[in-house]
Structures are given as structure tokens and as C-alpha cells.
């Protein structure tokens, strides 16, 4: 079991929905990854992310997909890419990442409640 947090702790994590508008291979990454550009709507705008999701997805299959991401972490430099958001997912039984997503379309930039 993980460490307990308060609801106030949870509220500090800004998880938003966005639509992937660009996806491309990221050969410079140490582990197989894609470079993503995600549209989080007018308030947050376009953000870049590096995501190790190459087992279950192709760049073409990602375009137009809505994903969840933490948008208030500080950016991280990953090789030549400045990853501005943390795209969220879960490990499958083999350790490959499956994206966390919404069941129905929602406006880009909506905050997880």
C-alpha cells in the first residue's frame, strides 16, 4: 500500500486532459520513446512530452487521442527534448505503458476532479 496523503495534497497535482496533435520517434532517448505535442486548450496551450509508450502505440495511432498529464511539474530535459508535462499511464503485465485516458471526449484543458 502507498503512503497516505491528504485531499489538499491531491489538489496540488494539476492533472489535465489534452489531445495529442504531434507524435514522432525519439531515437535520442535512452529507452524507446515518442516525442509528443499535446494541446491542453487556450489556458495552458501546447506542451511537449516524452513518453515511453512504444510497445502499444505508433505515432500515427496517437494523433487525436486524448490523454491525461500532470501539467504543474517543472520541465525536465530528456536528451534534446524539454519535456514540459508528465503523460500518465499504467504498466501492463509485462511492464509496457498503457496510456491513462478519458472514456468520453472532454474539452482540452479540463482538470481532473
Amino acid at each position: 500500500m502507498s503512503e497516505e496523503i491528504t485531499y489538499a495534497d491531491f489538489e496540488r497535482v494539476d492533472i489535465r486532459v489534452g489531445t495529442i496533435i504531434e507524435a514522432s520517434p525519439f531515437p535520442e532517448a535512452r529507452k524507446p520513446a515518442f516525442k509528443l505535442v499535446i494541446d491542453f486548450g487556450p489556458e495552458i496551450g501546447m506542451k511537449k512530452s516524452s513518453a515511453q509508450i512504444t510497445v502499444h502505440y505508433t505515432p500515427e495511432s496517437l494523433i487525436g487521442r486524448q490523454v491525461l498529464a500532470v501539467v504543474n511539474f517543472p520541465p525536465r530535459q530528456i536528451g534534446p527534448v524539454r519535456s514540459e508535462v508528465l503523460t500518465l499511464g499504467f504498466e501492463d503485465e509485462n511492464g509496457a505503458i498503457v496510456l491513462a485516458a478519458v472514456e468520453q471526449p472532454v474539452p482540452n484543458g479540463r482538470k481532473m476532479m
Side-chain angles (χ1 to χ4, degrees), residues 15-19 37-48 67-71 85 87 107-110:
I15 300 172
R16 304 280 181 129
V17 67
T19 300
V37 176
I38 306 170
D39 178 2
F40 288 99
E43 181 184 344
I44 296 170
M46 306 290 183
K47 297 292 181 182
K48 295 177 185 171
V67 295
L68 300 175
V70 177
V71 299
V85 299
T87 306
N108 288 337
R110 288 290 163 96

Side-chain angles (χ1 to χ4, degrees), residues 6-7 12 15 21 24 60 68 80 83 101:
T6 67
Y7 189 76
R12 293 181 55 215
I15 300 172
I21 61 164
S24 59
E60 299 78 23
L68 300 175
S83 188

Side-chain angles (χ1 to χ4, degrees), residues 91-106:
E91 286 187 340
D92 68 11
E93 62 278 351
N94 298 312
I97 302 301
V98 175
L99 290 168
V102 292
E103 185 179 339
Q104 300 289 323
V106 296

Side-chain angles (χ1 to χ4, degrees), residues 34-103:
F34 293 133
K35 294 182 279 189
L36 306 176
V37 176
I38 306 170
D39 178 2
F40 288 99
E43 181 184 344
I44 296 170
M46 306 290 183
K47 297 292 181 182
K48 295 177 185 171
S49 183
S50 168
Q52 295 173 359
I53 55 174
T54 59
V55 173
H56 294 295
Y57 306 96
T58 64
E60 299 78 23
S61 72
L62 293 167
I63 304 301
R65 180 182 293 267
Q66 285 198 302
V67 295
L68 300 175
V70 177
V71 299
N72 65 335
F73 282 149
R76 288 185 59 199
Q77 194 69 34
I78 302 174
V81 172
R82 184 176 168 93
S83 188
E84 301 171 300
V85 299
L86 175 64
T87 306
L88 300 176
F90 301 91
E91 286 187 340
D92 68 11
E93 62 278 351
N94 298 312
I97 302 301
V98 175
L99 290 168
V102 292
E103 185 179 339

Side-chain angles (χ1 to χ4, degrees), residues 2-13:
S2 59
E3 177 184 341
E4 285 189 14
I5 64 171
T6 67
Y7 189 76
D9 292 331
F10 173 73
E11 287 182 313
R12 293 181 55 215
V13 181

